[in-house]
Amino acid sequence: MPITLPDTLPAYRALSDEGVMVMAAGRARNQDIRPLRIALLNLMPKKIQTETQFARLIGATPLQIELHLIRMTEHQAKTTNAAHMDEFYRPFADVRDQKYDGLIITGAPIEHLPYSEVTYWDELKQVMDWTQTNVHATFGVCWGGMAMISHFHGVDKHMLGEKAFGCFKHRNLDPTSPYLRGFSDEFVIPVSRWTEIREPEIEAAPGLRTLLGSDQVGPCLVEDPTHRALYIFNHFEYDSDTLKDEYDRDAANGKPVKVPRNYYPDDNPANAPLNRWRSHAHLLYGNWISEVYLTTPFDETLIGQQSTDLRT
């Protein structure tokens, strides 16, 4: 089954051109199926690029999915056309009475700020608490995952001496996890962040379990069954050239930036980067969607009222 998107959303055309199955909303309404309602709280400045990246991953399953785009109520996007935001996004204040099978909270380029100094932090705390009553499963990505693990468990982020930037080898720490079905023992994941979450602090928080980790850049994927959540601190969703775009941007602006590690062939920016994480990206998000499908109530009104653990 395809992912359902408005046929005027840029991601619709981009994914259609890639061969991803997409369906316009009108056609989807004629099918006698309850689609999964997945919301994307998009905190990234490049909204359209981020929409496409996540729609690509959650749309590559046999299930019909409705993707709903959400923004913070008062925060105004500065780098995305206002008409795009008005047409495709709904503020959180307008959807807080809705129920969703899944929610993805993206990263945001505000790592250097204490959470309390983020302009929309108070509302984001409301969103995170709202997931416990109105969302069946939540996936926090990079800064979004760090914000969630801090809010629910007091596990704080720490500044790095230099940016973790490149494609780093990771290990499968829990091969029996349903979220890691089909995963290799080792693989690479794109990383681009100035902060880290430390494994001893995760281990000290009751109920958390690290599923993926790296000897070079630390824990990556953490499961939080009590809050029906996954937290990932790196970027499986990145396109092949996302790290290249970041590197080229900073180099052009005269910022001190190192070549992303283990990304370009021979670590030479003159060479086209190779995508070595795409298959595992589809595995992870496909496994997450499958777990949501297997455990979410058919009656949407029961979302948030059942067991806090997806597996009980």
Side-chain angles (χ1 to χ4, degrees), residues 16-246:
S16 295
D17 291 345
E18 293 179 16
V20 176
M21 291 182 66
V22 292
M23 180 183 289
R27 181 181 173 194
R29 282 192 293 269
N30 293 325
Q31 294 197 323
D32 189 19
I33 294 172
R34 168 160 123 56
L36 289 180
R37 289 164 48 86
I38 305 295
L40 177 70
L41 178 59
N42 192 351
L43 305 176
M44 291 295 287
K46 293 185 176 181
K47 305 290 187 192
I48 295 174
Q49 180 187 67
T50 303
E51 296 156 15
T52 304
Q53 289 172 343
F54 283 104
R56 177 185 296 117
L57 294 175
I58 67 172
T61 76
L63 305 172
Q64 184 175 311
I65 294 170
E66 291 179 357
L67 180 63
H68 298 251
L69 300 177
I70 301 175
R71 63 173 177 84
M72 304 309 296
T73 304
E74 300 298 331
H75 184 73
Q76 299 298 318
K78 298 178 181 178
T79 56
T80 302
N81 185 279
H84 179 87
M85 299 299 297
D86 290 342
E87 181 173 1
F88 298 114
Y89 281 79
R90 296 182 66 188
F92 172 65
D94 288 359
V95 303
R96 63 188 314 151
D97 293 332
Q98 299 287 314
K99 299 272 188 158
Y100 294 97
D101 300 292
L103 170 70
I104 298 171
I105 302 178
T106 74
I110 48 177
E111 294 176 274
H112 60 289
L113 293 176
Y115 294 120
S116 60
E117 293 183 15
V118 175
T119 56
Y120 50 78
W121 180 243
D122 286 343
E123 186 178 26
L124 185 59
K125 288 192 295 183
Q126 295 177 34
V127 171
M128 292 185 285
D129 290 337
W130 169 82
T131 65
Q132 300 306 287
T133 56
N134 288 62
V135 178
H136 182 63
T138 308
F139 207 146
V141 179
C142 200
W143 184 85
M146 294 181 181
M148 290 188 71
I149 202 171
S150 173
H151 178 66
F152 287 129
H153 295 278
V155 177
D156 207 357
K157 57 186 172 69
H158 300 273
M159 292 299 299
L160 294 168
E162 65 177 26
K163 186 178 184 180
F165 191 41
C167 292
F168 293 86
K169 184 183 296 184
H170 285 67
R171 290 179 291 113
N172 181 347
L173 302 177
D174 190 353
T176 64
S177 169
Y179 299 108
L180 303 182
R181 291 190 188 98
F183 263 63
S184 303
D185 294 333
E186 291 186 339
F187 41 88
V188 299
I189 308 178
V191 181
S192 178
R193 50 180 165 81
W194 283 96
T195 53
E196 66 176 355
I197 300 294
R198 294 174 179 167
E199 182 61 31
E201 296 177 16
I202 294 173
E203 293 176 351
L208 297 181
R209 181 165 56 251
T210 301
L211 305 182
L212 302 176
S214 167
D215 293 337
Q216 297 170 294
V217 290
C220 169
L221 179 67
V222 176
E223 182 182 6
D224 181 359
T226 301
H227 296 93
R228 306 185 307 280
L230 291 178
Y231 313 132
I232 189 168
F233 309 126
N234 302 330
H235 290 284
F236 264 136
E237 81 280 2
Y238 271 6
D239 295 323
S240 301
D241 58 358
T242 303
L243 291 180
K244 177 182 185 302
D245 291 344
E246 292 184 19

Side-chain angles (χ1 to χ4, degrees), residues 271-288:
N271 295 326
L274 298 176
N275 190 310
R276 293 177 292 130
W277 60 90
R278 183 183 294 117
S279 59
H280 282 87
H282 281 282
L283 279 174
L284 177 60
Y285 282 88
N287 288 339
W288 180 66

